[in-house]
Amino acid sequence: MNQTTSARRNATPYALAVVGVLFASICFGFVPYFSRGLTDQGLAPYAVAFYRYIFAAIVFFPALLMHRSKWREILWGMVAGAVMGLGWVGYVWALETVPASTVGVLYMTYPVFTIAIAWALFGDQPTRRSLVAAGAIVIAAILAGSPASVPLEQVPKLIISLAAPFGFGFAICVLVHRLSSIATLARIAAISLGGVIGLAPLILSSEISEILPKGRNDWFLIVGIGLVTALIPQLIYTICSPVIGATRTAVVGSIELPTMFAVGVFAFGEVITGAQALACALVLGAIALTQSRATRTVTTVISTEQER
């Protein structure tokens, strides 16, 4: 009887954790909605990126003060955040005109960059399964960026948008290889603060009209991109993912890409081509295939380190 009751108690937190990861990943997938809404109102792409990082940087800054003795690790995290923040500008810029589904597929190529950076900088040998998954993701990116999906004149934006998954992959490598000795919230704070600092020169050199919202609706979008797509889901993801494990987190979290597709269809009236649908299926299949570090998101890496 006691074993049955205990099993039920354990099942409940597990089910809630799955729902939490699902909810957080859906929130991440709404980035195109808030991002394009802000750029359509005249905000510069780097200002949009800045607003996404600033909330978490402020809220979690006390965690950095508590772990200031780990300044080398914090510095690594800030560098990773700066690279990721600057790379994210290309993602936002592409979303101004390129279909959200296409940009979403290219953003999900970050496991490929993670594998390459981890191998080149940290000597982390990729597994055969991760290489197969990476190959499938590369094929998906080619399909999503093909002339059947986007006009030829948008290809330069697609190429520049790859700076975002590169920065994301670099941040994952830094989290795995340099930040395991500091607390979870300090890692999030270091990366968020790094993103803010990396984008600050662009903000300071801009015209006021490019960085400040013009109306109430703009403020709604800023709060949305900072809280709904970053701070709140980051916290939920960090709490819930250790409960279900890295592998299931990656699989459940892959709902982020179909969410981007849905945003493109329902919010922007985009039409999903056969090539884009196949690209989405390839990415989801690659994520389900591999259990290596290369498929974890930044927050998954942060939270699963707590299990060690």
Side-chain angles (χ1 to χ4, degrees), residues 193-266:
L193 183 60
V196 169
I197 293 174
L199 293 164
L202 295 173
I203 297 295
L204 295 174
S205 62
S206 299
E207 298 290 336
I208 295 297
S209 60
E210 296 178 312
I211 60 175
L212 287 183
K214 299 177 178 62
R216 182 179 301 177
N217 186 58
D218 293 355
W219 281 111
F220 164 77
L221 293 172
I222 286 173
V223 172
I225 202 165
L227 297 183
V228 177
T229 75
L231 178 60
I232 293 174
Q234 277 181 344
L235 281 174
I236 295 174
Y237 210 98
T238 301
I239 293 170
C240 294
S241 54
V243 178
I244 67 175
T247 301
R248 289 186 177 87
T249 294
V251 174
V252 174
S254 64
I255 190 68
E256 178 180 353
L257 182 56
T259 302
M260 293 181 187
F261 274 56
V263 169
V265 172
F266 295 107

Side-chain angles (χ1 to χ4, degrees), residues 60-118:
F60 296 129
F61 183 73
L64 285 185
L65 298 179
M66 293 175 61
H67 297 86
R68 58 186 179 275
S69 61
K70 300 282 188 178
W71 63 269
R72 290 183 180 85
E73 289 82 357
I74 291 173
L75 184 60
W76 266 105
M78 291 173 64
V79 169
V83 172
M84 190 164 65
L86 290 170
W88 210 69
V89 174
Y91 173 74
V92 177
W93 185 54
L95 280 171
E96 288 183 325
T97 54
V98 180
S101 53
T102 299
V103 180
V105 170
L106 292 182
Y107 185 71
M108 296 297 284
T109 62
Y110 70 85
V112 179
F113 291 101
T114 306
I115 291 171
I117 295 170

Side-chain angles (χ1 to χ4, degrees), residues 105-106 109 134-146 275-276 278-283:
V105 170
L106 292 182
T109 62
I137 291 172
V138 169
I139 294 173
I142 294 173
L143 287 171
S146 67
Q276 290 171 321
L278 180 57
C280 179
L282 282 171
V283 170

Side-chain angles (χ1 to χ4, degrees), residues 123-145:
D124 194 353
Q125 291 283 343
T127 65
R128 183 179 301 177
R129 183 176 291 186
S130 67
L131 289 175
V132 172
I137 291 172
V138 169
I139 294 173
I142 294 173
L143 287 171

Side-chain angles (χ1 to χ4, degrees), residues 149-196:
S149 301
V150 295
L152 189 61
E153 61 268 18
Q154 293 183 349
V155 171
K157 282 195 172 185
L158 292 181
I159 294 174
I160 293 175
S161 75
L162 291 174
F166 172 85
F168 202 23
F170 178 72
I172 290 175
C173 292
V174 170
L175 281 162
V176 171
H177 295 281
R178 291 291 183 266
L179 301 188
S180 60
S181 63
I182 62 175
T184 300
L185 294 184
R187 297 176 210 175
I188 299 176
I191 289 176
S192 300
L193 183 60
V196 169

